[in-house]
Amino acid sequence: MIVAGREILKHAHKHGYAVGAFNVNNMEQVKAIIEAAEETKSPVIIQASQGGLKYAGVEYIAAMVKEAAKNASVPVALHLDHGTDFKQIMMCIRNGFTSVMIDASHYELEENIKKTRKIVEMAHAVGVSVEAELGKIGGVEDDISVDEKDATFTDPDDAEKFVAETGVDSLAIAVGTAHGPYKGEPKLDFERIKVIKEKLNMPLVLHGSSGVPEESIKEAVRLGINKINIDTDIRMAFHRAVKEFVKKNPDVYDPRKILSPAKEEMKNVIADKMRIFGSAGMA
Ligand SMILES: O=C(COP(=O)(O)O)N(O)CCCCO
Ligand code: NA
Ligand SMILES: [Zn+2]
């Protein structure tokens, strides 16, 4: 069933595990996520970025995810990832999204607070949860790009002020991850996660989580991360499977035959992550 984002994240915060938040652009990704969630009995967050909504259309994404959630035995939230455009955020709420991110992290603290507070007031008025970002998460992915030198870690004291003055349900923190593939191995600032969790005592979000070693993910969850964003690893699973299928079956042109192995590969990758995040069996 479809639920508000805060319901899923509050449970994860209370019981000390993390829920996967997986990006979708098409039907095969939605099916892969829901099948993995059913298989592992995991609550799950299905999210679309502004780029994903531009590609598929907000109505298509909302219709597919609501249909999938209606028939699922696990809790599902539908979330807007990295919302920067006020109209886009309102269109998502209008189409039944149960959670939205307002990403005003490029602005100074006071401006970020102001923009975030406006979305919180409107979203909370209709029961929709809100995620915001403080600090700048590095990396390049679709329309999100932050240069390595501009990536700034989240300051715990600023975070305390930010949450008190905005009322957000969850906070995305910059602690060493980056969007997209990593060149070297990412070094997470675990001490910073620990301090922020102690100060805020609320659901925390890790972005740029594809490519982070399993042990680092587990440590971040132990220290209080409750939502883990994954996009690149699913894209790579899709790419691997399609490439392999087409190489082996160059004359098969039926999209169902070409995309089915890709859906299976994405499902397996997602199910593994749900086990690593600790959400398996929590639904
Ligand atoms: O934090 C993430 C995922 O990061 P990653 O792709 O490193 O797993 N996201 O917010 C997905 C960004 C999608 C842009 O269209
Ligand atoms: Na990444
Ligand atoms: Zn992100």
Side-chain angles (χ1 to χ4, degrees), residues 109 113 134 154-165 192 195-196 199-200:
L109 179 62
I113 288 173
L134 188 66
T154 303
D155 174 90
D157 295 324
D158 286 351
E160 208 168 15
K161 169 181 164 64
F162 183 89
V163 169
E165 295 186 15
R192 190 177 297 267
V195 169
I196 293 171
K199 273 185 180 289
L200 301 190

Side-chain angles (χ1 to χ4, degrees), residues 202-223:
M202 69 182 283
L204 299 179
V205 185
L206 193 68
H207 282 241
S209 311
S210 293
V212 176
E214 181 176 327
E215 282 322 303
S216 297
I217 292 283
K218 284 183 172 168
E219 179 65 2
V221 173
R222 198 180 62 76
L223 293 170

Side-chain angles (χ1 to χ4, degrees), residues 63-76:
M64 287 192 291
V65 175
K66 282 190 280 191
E67 180 61 21
K70 191 175 72 183
N71 307 315
S73 66
V74 297
V76 180

Side-chain angles (χ1 to χ4, degrees), residues 23 47 49 51 81-82 141-144 178-180 206-210 229-233 235:
N23 286 76
Q47 59 185 25
S49 66
D81 186 28
H82 289 290
E141 199 164 5
D142 292 7
D143 47 358
I144 304 158
H179 287 117
L206 193 68
H207 282 241
S209 311
S210 293
N229 282 21
I230 296 284
D231 192 4
T232 302
D233 281 349
R235 297 184 184 189

Side-chain angles (χ1 to χ4, degrees):
M1 63 287 192
I2 199 154
V3 299
R6 78 170 62 80
E7 259 185 64
I8 289 183
L9 293 183
K10 263 190 178 155
H11 189 268
H13 169 64
K14 185 162 170 248
H15 298 283
Y17 65 93
V19 177
F22 304 98
N23 286 76
V24 296
N25 301 304
N26 65 33
M27 177 190 76
E28 284 72 15
Q29 288 170 328
V30 173
K31 284 179 175 265
I33 294 164
I34 284 289
E35 288 172 19
E38 292 281 17
E39 188 180 291
T40 61
K41 292 282 159 267
S42 277
V44 67
I45 296 169
I46 300 183
Q47 59 185 25
S49 66
Q50 292 180 160
L53 294 172
K54 192 153 158 257
Y55 174 79
V58 61
E59 298 83 357
Y60 269 81
I61 295 288
M64 287 192 291
V65 175
K66 282 190 280 191
E67 180 61 21
K70 191 175 72 183
N71 307 315
S73 66
V74 297
V76 180
L78 171 54
H79 177 72
L80 167 64
D81 186 28
H82 289 290
T84 55
D85 176 76
F86 177 72
K87 195 166 172 295
Q88 176 72 80
I89 293 171
M90 296 316 288
M91 283 309 284
C92 286
I93 293 175
R94 182 185 163 98
N95 278 277
F97 277 56
T98 61
S99 175
V100 292
M101 177 182 187
I102 163 67
D103 179 357
S105 58
H106 283 73
Y107 295 93
E108 286 311 307
L109 179 62
E110 288 308 326
E111 188 59 16
N112 187 351
I113 288 173
K114 197 166 139 239
K115 286 181 176 297
T116 300
R117 190 167 40 213
K118 175 180 172 183
I119 298 299
V120 169
E121 262 166 47
M122 305 185 86
H124 281 187
V126 288
V128 173
S129 311
V130 180
E131 174 188 329
E133 180 175 326
L134 188 66
K136 292 197 191 85
I137 295 157
V140 178
E141 199 164 5
D142 292 7
D143 47 358
I144 304 158
S145 70
V146 173
D147 215 88
E148 191 95 3
K149 66 177 177 0
D150 300 331
T152 48
F153 282 18
T154 303
D155 174 90
D157 295 324
D158 286 351
E160 208 168 15
K161 169 181 164 64
F162 183 89
V163 169
E165 295 186 15
T166 60
V168 288
D169 299 288
S170 63
L171 186 68
I173 56 175
V175 290
T177 56
H179 287 117
Y182 287 99
K183 295 177 190 74
E185 178 159 314
K187 287 271 167 285
L188 270 60
D189 185 340
F190 295 115
E191 185 54 28
R192 190 177 297 267
I193 299 175
K194 185 168 179 287
V195 169
I196 293 171
K197 190 71 173 187
E198 276 160 8
K199 273 185 180 289
L200 301 190
N201 189 26
M202 69 182 283
L204 299 179
V205 185
L206 193 68
H207 282 241
S209 311
S210 293
V212 176
E214 181 176 327
E215 282 322 303
S216 297
I217 292 283
K218 284 183 172 168
E219 179 65 2
V221 173
R222 198 180 62 76
L223 293 170
I225 294 289
N226 305 110
K227 174 176 180 273
I228 299 182
N229 282 21
I230 296 284
D231 192 4
T232 302
D233 281 349
I234 301 174
R235 297 184 184 189
M236 288 182 173
F238 177 87
H239 181 230
R240 255 193 324 271
V242 168
K243 218 168 46 172
E244 190 185 325
F245 181 88
V246 170
K247 202 159 140 237
K248 282 189 186 141
N249 311 276
D251 303 327
V252 173
Y253 53 82
D254 181 343
R256 292 168 297 180
K257 294 204 170 70
I258 297 169
L259 294 178
S260 296
K263 198 253 306 164
E264 272 308 296
E265 180 63 11
M266 291 191 287
K267 186 196 84 174
N268 294 336
V269 166
I270 292 162
D272 283 350
K273 292 200 183 284
M274 289 170 163
R275 293 184 192 100
I276 292 166
F277 299 168
S279 67
M282 288 295 180

